[in-house]
């Protein structure tokens, strides 16, 4: 009998998990509360260890076609104008990263989902509850046709930071902190390449700190800055213009989209209870500085695909799912969250004087040493769960 996995959430993490399970022969039903995929400015950069996994799933070339690979990135010291560039050696893949707007990534994944007859996406369908027993799960749904029950072998919660699976089904806590500032992510058309900007630039300054990443080859960039969260959302376009006057070179620009949101470092007290399992932002959230948010969620998906496929098709014991839960939570708390927090502090929170100068000198030292560059870039290998 074909196994059946229910996935709550049609974001990239849920879609990736569905593809990996379906390609192994599992029937998958994806529940998406909204009427369409989310296209707001969010994740953009994915580190090189995800590339072999995307290739294994037959996704990499389409992802590269919609985005691009980059080999270098820069640190811009706003107060002096200095640009420090780290360039990975072409001899090593660990300098590469995939640039692909999350909305486009979702579209790529959705196209591949559509080619798999054993995946169904049910839009405008909310998970109202879920019970489980020794043999499977029973999900309670509310969709266009009204209330219904859907049986499956497992339920995967991939429904984001406000996860109904985490909150309402499992009743888990979401421990952590909220950063004091509000992030404002913009998609902005501006020719920063003409003034020497690398495809990814981290701008260091307490007032003018920013994350600046090229989205595609048509000079659309993701420019992200912070502001006081008490400011009203009304008036944001005017504030963006004021910010850009100080944050960016004096070049013509057009803001195509903007998305304000709060930043958090939070993790659920567990990522699995029996046959109900969390992945991505449903399980843990981090500030996105350094591109570790969705990258971490993708590694959750890749690990869960392997673990669930072994259980569903190879007769593996459910202990492998317990290992998934423990290792993914460990990686987030010990590696992903601390590194993302360091990245954010390095942009906005360095004290003027010795602390800032020591950090800048460190960045310069790394830039001139290929082995140090490799060491700094290869830490993302630690984000992989190895069974």
């Amino acid at each position: 009998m074909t196994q059946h996995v229910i996935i709550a959430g049609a974001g990239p993490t849920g879609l990736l998990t569905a593809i990996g399970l379906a390609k192994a022969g599992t029937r998958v039903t994806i529940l998406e509360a909204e009427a369409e995929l989310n296209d707001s400015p969010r994740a953009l950069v994915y580190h090189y260890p995800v590339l072999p996994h995307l290739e294994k799933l037959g996704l990499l070339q389409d992802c590269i076609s919609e985005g691009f690979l980059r080999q270098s990135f820069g640190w811009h010291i706003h107060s002096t104008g200095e640009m420090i560039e780290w360039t990975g050696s072409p001899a090593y893949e660990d300098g590469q990263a995939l640039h692909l707007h999350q909305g486009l990534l979702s579209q790529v994944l959705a196209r591949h989902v559509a080619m798999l007859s054993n995946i169904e996406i049910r839009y405008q369908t909310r998970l109202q509850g879920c019970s489980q027993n020794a043999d499977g799960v029973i999900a309670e749904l509310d969709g266009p046709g009204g209330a219904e029950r859907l049986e499956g072998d497992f339920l995967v919660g991939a429904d984001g930071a406000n996860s109904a699976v985490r909150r309402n089904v499992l009743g888990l806590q979401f421990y952590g902190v909220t950063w004091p500032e509000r992030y404002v992510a913009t998609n902005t058309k501006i020719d920063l390449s003409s003034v020497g900007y690398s495809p990814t630039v981290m701008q260091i300054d307490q007032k003018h700190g920013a994350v600046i990443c090229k989205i595609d080859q048509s000079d659309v960039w993701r420019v992200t800055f912070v502001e006081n969260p008490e400011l009203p959302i009304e008036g944001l376009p005017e504030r963006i213009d004021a910010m850009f006057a100080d944050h960016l070179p004096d070049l013509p620009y057009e803001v195509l989209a903007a998305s304000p949101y709060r930043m958090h470092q939070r993790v659920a007290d567990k990522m699995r209870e029996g046959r109900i399992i969390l992945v991505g932002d449903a399980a843990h959230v981090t500030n996105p500085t350094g591109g570790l948010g969705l990258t971490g969620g993708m590694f959750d998906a890749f690990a869960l695909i392997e673990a669930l496929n072994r259980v569903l098709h190879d007769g593996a014991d459910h202990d492998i799912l317990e290992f998934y839960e423990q290792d993914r939570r460990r990686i987030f708390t010990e590696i992903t969250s601390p590194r993302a927090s360091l990245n954010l502090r390095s942009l906005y929170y360095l004290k003027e004087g010795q602390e800032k100068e020591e950090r800048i000198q460190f960045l310069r030292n790394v830039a001139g040493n290929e082995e140090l560059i490799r060491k700094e870039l290869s830490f993302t290998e630690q984000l992989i769960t190895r069974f």
Side-chain angles (χ1 to χ4, degrees):
M1 183 178 70
T2 302
Q3 307 290 345
H4 181 209
V5 173
I6 303 167
I7 298 177
T13 304
L15 295 172
L16 272 175
T17 304
I19 291 169
L21 295 176
K23 288 201 167 189
T26 298
R27 175 188 163 212
V28 182
T29 302
I30 304 174
L31 313 175
E32 172 52 50
E34 302 302 323
E36 58 187 14
L37 301 177
N38 190 331
D39 193 40
S40 64
R42 281 289 190 266
L44 174 60
V45 179
Y46 317 100
H47 293 272
Y48 79 93
V50 308
L51 305 182
H53 292 274
L54 293 175
E55 186 168 28
K56 181 179 178 182
L57 292 173
L59 302 167
L60 181 59
Q61 290 309 309
D62 283 356
C63 288
I64 294 173
S65 295
E66 294 286 351
F68 64 94
L69 295 176
R70 61 107 164 122
Q71 191 77 31
S72 64
F73 66 95
W75 302 85
H76 183 236
I77 316 305
H78 183 272
S79 58
T80 64
E82 179 182 5
M83 184 73 78
I84 302 168
E85 187 170 276
W86 290 2
T87 301
S89 168
Y92 304 106
E93 66 174 2
D94 52 22
Q96 292 184 335
L98 171 67
H99 281 224
L100 180 61
H101 170 31
Q102 180 174 324
L104 288 177
L105 172 60
S106 292
Q107 291 178 28
V108 170
L109 299 178
R111 290 201 299 268
H112 282 259
V113 163
M115 292 186 283
L116 294 166
S117 62
N118 52 342
I119 301 180
E120 177 188 10
I121 302 181
R122 297 193 183 186
Y123 290 101
Q124 295 180 296
T125 301
R126 294 183 179 275
L127 180 74
Q128 299 293 90
C130 185
S131 59
Q132 61 177 312
N133 53 45
D135 299 319
V137 299
I138 303 173
E140 299 172 11
L141 316 181
D142 183 17
E148 65 174 299
R149 290 154 62 93
L150 182 65
E151 295 185 10
D153 294 277
F154 291 91
L155 172 69
V156 175
D159 49 344
N162 295 314
S163 171
V165 177
R166 185 191 68 243
R167 291 184 292 111
N168 303 333
V169 175
L170 297 179
L172 299 177
Q173 300 295 318
F174 209 31
Y175 297 112
V177 298
T178 298
W179 291 89
E181 287 83 9
R182 175 195 289 150
Y183 241 38
V184 179
T186 74
N187 291 348
T188 300
K189 191 169 184 62
I190 182 171
D191 186 11
L192 292 173
S193 300
S194 67
V195 291
Y197 276 57
S198 297
T200 293
V201 171
M202 312 282 271
Q203 184 159 285
I204 297 176
D205 194 84
Q206 283 188 338
K207 182 179 180 182
H208 305 106
V211 182
I212 305 168
C213 297
K214 192 171 186 178
I215 296 177
D216 57 31
Q217 303 294 11
S218 66
D219 286 321
V220 178
W221 293 68
R222 172 70 47 75
V223 182
T224 305
F225 60 90
V226 299
E227 68 170 10
N228 187 332
E230 296 182 3
L231 291 170
I233 297 300
E234 296 77 20
L236 180 60
E238 291 76 18
R239 294 200 302 275
I240 289 174
D241 287 337
M243 281 286 186
F244 281 7
D246 293 328
H247 281 61
L248 298 177
D250 186 14
L251 294 170
Y253 69 86
E254 178 186 1
V255 177
L256 305 178
S259 178
Y261 57 96
R262 297 301 298 274
M263 300 178 292
H264 310 271
Q265 306 298 137
R266 296 187 180 276
V267 61
D269 38 8
K270 55 184 175 179
M271 291 177 60
R272 168 185 175 248
E273 188 171 291
R275 291 175 174 270
I276 302 174
I277 310 163
L278 301 178
V279 293
D281 285 357
H284 45 68
V285 292
T286 179
N287 84 80
T289 314
L292 297 179
L294 184 48
T295 292
M298 292 168 91
F299 282 123
D300 284 355
F302 300 143
L304 184 58
I305 288 166
E306 182 169 355
L308 268 182
N309 280 340
R310 289 193 192 182
V311 171
L312 293 169
H313 304 293
D314 299 334
D317 192 273
H318 283 213
D319 286 349
I320 196 173
L321 299 175
E322 188 65 17
F323 178 76
Y324 160 86
E325 192 275 338
Q326 293 178 2
D327 198 55
R328 295 315 303 166
R329 196 173 184 281
R330 175 194 65 81
I331 286 171
F332 179 81
T333 56
E334 295 181 6
I335 303 171
T336 306
S337 185
R339 183 61 178 245
S341 298
L342 172 63
N343 290 341
L344 186 60
R345 287 196 298 270
S346 295
L347 289 194
Y348 304 105
Y349 297 103
L350 291 177
K351 295 179 182 177
E352 293 295 332
Q354 183 177 355
E355 182 181 41
K356 182 176 179 180
E357 288 305 313
E358 287 180 352
R359 178 63 178 170
I360 293 172
Q361 189 56 51
F362 168 77
L363 299 176
R364 293 183 186 127
N365 292 342
V366 171
N369 187 309
E370 184 175 298
E371 285 305 308
L372 288 178
I373 290 176
R374 289 198 68 206
K375 180 180 178 181
E376 287 298 306
L377 298 181
S378 64
F379 88 93
T380 51
E381 292 180 349
Q382 301 172 56
L383 305 181
I384 303 172
T385 290
R386 304 185 190 279
F387 291 95

